[in-house]
Amino acid sequence: MERFSSLIKTIVPIWAWIFLTSIFVGTIYAGQLLGFSLLDESLLNPTTTRSLHITLMLYGPVMLALSLLPFALFSKEGLNLDEAVVPMRNYFFLWHLFLFMAVVSITLGLQRGLPFYDFTYELNFILAVSGIFYIIAIFKIIKQYKITPLWVKVSKTLLFIAPISLLVLMNPTYGQVESTLSGPHGDNTLGMSFTLIPLFYLMIKLQAKEKFTPTWHIFWIIPLVGYALSVATRIFIGELSYNEEWVYQWLTFAYAPLLVKWYKDANLSRKNAPYLVISIWAFLFVMIQGNILFIPEIRWDFHRNDLIVAHAHVAIGLGIFFMSLSILSYFYKIPQKFAHFWLYVIGFIFVSLSLAGFSEAGYINLDIIPMWWIRFIGGVLAVLGLLYYIVKELKKPELKLINLYHLNGFASDGLGAVILILFAPFLFSFLGFTFNHTYYLVFGFMGFVGILHLIGVYKDSHFLAYATSIARLITGTIFLSLFYLGKIDALGVLVGIYDISYALIYMLFRNKF
C-alpha cells in the first residue's frame, strides 16, 4: 500500500496542472463569447478552446481518479496494492500520452467536429492499450483473494469488454458517437448514465461503514436491456426515431429510486460521505433536468443551448468531479475548503448559464450578456483558486544558483514554447518574420528542454544542466549554419546565439554553480 500511495502522490500534481489547463481554456472560451477576440486568429480560436476544455474535462484527471475505485476497495478489504504499482504507472503514462497527443492535435486543428469526442479516432487505441496494463494491475491484486467476491467477478468481465467497446462505439463508421452531431441521442444518454451505476454501487460499498447489500436490481436491469437494444438497432437496422430515442431517454428515470435506496441502505450522509452524497444528488438532478429538456416542446427551444443551461457543467463539474474526489480522498488528503470553494464556483456558473439559457429560449426576458460575464468571472475565480491550492502544495525549491539557472531556462524555453505554439503566426507577423508551420517542431523541442529545466529545479540539477547545455550547443550551431546557408531568416541567428550563450554560461562557469 505504501508504494501505491506514493505513486498516487506523484501523479496528483500532474492531474492538478491538467485540470487547471482545462479550466483555463474554458475561461478563455467564455471570454471569447463576450467578444474578447485577441486570440480568435491564433491556435486558441473559440472552436479549439471549447474542444480542449471538453476533452480535458471528459478524459482528464477527473476520469482517471475514477479508475482508482477498485484499488480503494481492495485496500479496504486488506489486500496489498504494491504489486500493481508498475502496471498502473504504465497505465497512467499511456493515458497521459493520449491526453498530450489529443491536446496537440486539437490545438493544431485536427478536430472531428463532434460535441464530446473531438480528438482523432486513432488515439482511442492508446486508451485501449492503457486498459491492458490496467487489467494486469487488477489481476495482480485479485490473485490474493482466497474466495473471489461477486463484484470482482463482474468487474473482470467488464474490464475485458471495455477496451473493445471503446473502439467499437467510438468508430466513426459504425459507432454511436457520430450520432451526437444531430438528433437527441437519448440512447447515448442512457448508456452514459448506466456506466455510472456500477461505479456508484462500488463507491457506496467503499464508503459504507457496515456490510452493504444492494437491492432493487430491476431498476438497472431494464435500462441495460434497453441500451443493448438501442445499440443493436443502430448497428444492424439504422437510425432511431425521436419517439424511440425518447423511450430510451426516459428509462434513465429508473436510476433515481435505485440510487436513493442504495445510499439510504448504506446509512450514508453528508457527514460521513460528503463527496459521494453530493455526487449522487447532482447526478439525480442532472438526470431529471435532462429528461425535462427532452420534451419536444421544450427541447426545440433549448436544443441549441444544451450547454448554456449548464447541464454538462453540473454533470461533470459536480456529479463526476465529486465522485472522483470521494475516491481520490481515500489515497490523498483533499482540503475540505477546496471542495467548498468548488461548490460555490460551479453554483455561480450554473445559475448564470441556466438563466441565460431560459432567456435565449424565450421563457424569461433577461439580458444574457451579464450572465455570460458572471460565467466568465466564475471561470477566472476557478483558475485563481486552483492556482492558489496548487502553489500551496508545491514543494518549494532551494534558491541556489543552479536552481535559478533552471528556473530561467524553464521560463525562457518552457513557457516561451507555449506562447510561441499558441501565438506564433501573430507574433511573427508583428515582428516582421516569415512564419512556417515546420517551426512547430522547433517549439516542441523548446518545450522539451523547458521540461528538463523544470525537473532540474527539484532533482538531478547538474546532470540536467549539462544535458540541456549540450542540446543547446548542437541546436544553436545548426540554426546559425542554416542561416548562413540562406535556409532560414534572421530569427535563426537570434535562436542560435541565445542557445549557445545560455549553454556556455553553465559549461564555462559550472564550478560556480
Side-chain angles (χ1 to χ4, degrees):
M1 177 67 178
E2 186 175 339
R3 287 178 58 207
F4 193 89
S5 296
S6 297
L7 172 65
I8 302 305
K9 289 178 181 177
T10 61
I11 293 294
V12 167
I14 298 173
W15 290 355
W17 285 109
I18 296 174
F19 188 66
L20 175 64
T21 302
S22 69
I23 303 302
F24 178 67
V25 293
T27 304
I28 292 176
Y29 178 66
Q32 288 168 330
L33 291 180
L34 284 167
F36 300 163
S37 58
L38 177 63
L39 304 179
D40 284 3
E41 300 303 319
S42 71
L43 291 180
L44 284 185
N45 54 69
T47 302
T48 299
T49 51
R50 183 180 183 275
S51 177
L52 286 173
H53 175 60
I54 294 174
T55 299
L56 289 174
M57 288 300 293
L58 289 177
Y59 291 88
V62 174
M63 295 303 173
L64 277 168
L66 294 180
S67 64
L68 296 176
L69 176 55
F71 297 96
L73 282 163
F74 293 149
S75 178
K76 182 180 180 180
E77 296 181 359
L79 276 62
N80 186 356
L81 305 183
D82 288 346
E83 287 192 42
V85 168
V86 174
M88 284 300 288
R89 184 184 294 123
N90 292 335
Y91 161 74
F92 288 134
F93 169 76
L94 286 172
W95 198 292
H96 293 159
L97 174 63
F98 155 77
L99 287 174
F100 172 74
M101 295 179 70
V103 167
V104 171
S105 60
I106 289 173
T107 304
L108 292 177
L110 188 59
Q111 301 163 16
R112 296 173 66 188
L114 295 174
F116 302 112
Y117 314 97
D118 215 15
F119 51 88
T120 181
Y121 168 72
E122 287 73 17
L123 292 181
N124 286 290
F125 286 91
I126 298 178
L127 294 181
V129 174
S130 73
I132 295 174
F133 285 101
Y134 187 77
I135 292 171
I136 293 172
I138 294 291
F139 272 77
K140 280 182 174 290
I141 302 300
I142 62 177
K143 68 181 182 180
Q144 299 176 40
Y145 281 114
K146 293 181 180 179
I147 301 176
T148 306
L150 178 61
W151 74 268
V152 175
K153 293 178 181 179
V154 175
S155 298
K156 284 165 57 177
T157 304
L158 295 175
L159 282 174
F160 284 108
I161 293 175
I164 299 172
S165 299
L166 172 73
L167 298 177
V168 171
L169 295 176
M170 294 285 282
N171 188 279
T173 303
Y174 49 81
Q176 281 194 288
V177 297
E178 302 294 334
S179 67
T180 60
L181 279 173
S182 61
H185 49 85
D187 59 327
N188 279 334
T189 304
L190 177 63
M192 288 186 288
S193 298
F194 177 78
T195 59
L196 298 179
I197 298 305
L199 293 179
F200 274 125
Y201 158 66
L202 294 177
M203 282 189 290
I204 291 172
K205 180 179 176 65
L206 175 66
Q207 298 288 346
K209 305 304 179 185
E210 301 176 0
K211 185 178 179 181
F212 166 67
T213 303
T215 55
W216 292 16
H217 299 293
I218 192 67
F219 286 100
W220 64 261
I221 292 175
I222 291 177
L224 176 59
V225 172
Y227 180 62
L229 181 61
S230 73
V231 172
T233 302
R234 282 193 184 275
I235 293 176
F236 299 110
I237 299 177
E239 292 300 313
L240 301 171
S241 68
Y242 189 90
N243 287 334
E244 289 171 330
E245 292 272 10
W246 202 353
V247 171
Y248 295 127
Q249 172 77 27
W250 279 52
L251 281 179
T252 58
F253 271 127
Y255 301 141
L258 181 70
L259 287 179
V260 173
K261 171 69 173 173
W262 281 1
Y263 98 80
K264 285 189 174 181
D265 286 350
N267 294 318
L268 299 183
S269 66
R270 287 183 58 190
K271 287 187 177 180
N272 58 24
Y275 302 141
L276 180 53
V277 170
I278 291 173
S279 175
I280 289 174
W281 283 106
F283 174 78
L284 294 177
F285 173 83
V286 168
M287 181 266 293
I288 295 171
Q289 182 193 39
N291 279 288
I292 292 173
L293 289 175
F294 207 86
I295 298 172
E297 291 78 9
I298 296 178
R299 185 173 183 85
W300 303 142
D301 291 329
F302 278 105
H303 188 249
R304 62 193 174 91
N305 299 317
D306 280 346
L307 296 178
I308 294 178
V309 295
H311 182 74
H313 288 83
V314 176
I316 303 297
L318 283 185
I320 306 298
F321 183 73
F322 276 93
M323 181 187 289
S324 299
L325 288 186
S326 70
I327 302 169
L328 189 59
S329 61
Y330 195 87
F331 299 101
Y332 191 91
K333 186 177 180 181
I334 300 171
Q336 279 201 347
K337 288 184 178 180
F338 171 72
H340 294 155
F341 157 77
W342 191 253
L343 260 177
Y344 298 143
V345 167
I346 292 298
F348 201 53
I349 293 173
F350 168 72
V351 171
S352 64
L353 290 188
S354 294
L355 291 175
F358 285 127
S359 178
E360 289 193 355
Y363 285 91
I364 60 175
N365 184 17
L366 182 73
D367 185 0
I368 65 170
I369 299 302
M371 297 300 103
W372 283 10
W373 270 104
I374 293 174
R375 187 258 299 271
F376 174 70
I377 294 170
V380 172
L381 290 175
V383 170
L384 294 177
L386 285 168
L387 268 176
Y388 167 77
Y389 283 106
I390 290 174
V391 171
K392 191 177 178 182
E393 294 295 318
L394 277 178
K395 178 184 175 183
K396 305 301 186 293
E398 298 181 44
L399 292 180
K400 295 180 179 178
L401 192 57
I402 186 67
N403 299 113
L404 295 175
Y405 178 83
H406 280 301
L407 281 172
N408 186 73
F410 169 68
S412 62
D413 281 62
L415 299 181
V418 172
I419 294 172
L420 287 171
I421 288 172
L422 297 178
F423 311 117
F426 170 77
L427 292 174
F428 274 53
S429 176
F430 179 77
L431 296 173
F433 295 119
T434 302
F435 177 74
N436 189 307
H437 278 73
T438 56
Y439 281 135
Y440 285 122
L441 294 173
V442 179
F443 305 154
F445 176 78
M446 285 177 58
F448 170 70
V449 173
I451 291 172
L452 293 181
H453 278 300
L454 181 61
I455 297 172
V457 173
Y458 296 99
K459 62 179 182 179
D460 300 326
S461 300
H462 283 281
F463 169 75
L464 290 173
Y466 185 81
T468 54
S469 295
I470 295 296
R472 287 179 184 277
L473 290 173
I474 294 172
T475 54
T477 301
I478 292 174
F479 265 94
L480 290 178
S481 300
L482 289 174
F483 170 73
Y484 288 120
L485 285 171
K487 302 297 183 182
I488 55 177
D489 54 23
L491 181 65
V493 176
L494 298 176
V495 173
I497 291 176
Y498 173 79
D499 275 340
I500 293 173
S501 301
Y502 201 80
L504 289 177
I505 291 174
Y506 178 77
M507 298 297 280
L508 296 177
F509 304 103
R510 54 183 165 174
N511 61 314
K512 304 291 186 182
F513 281 88

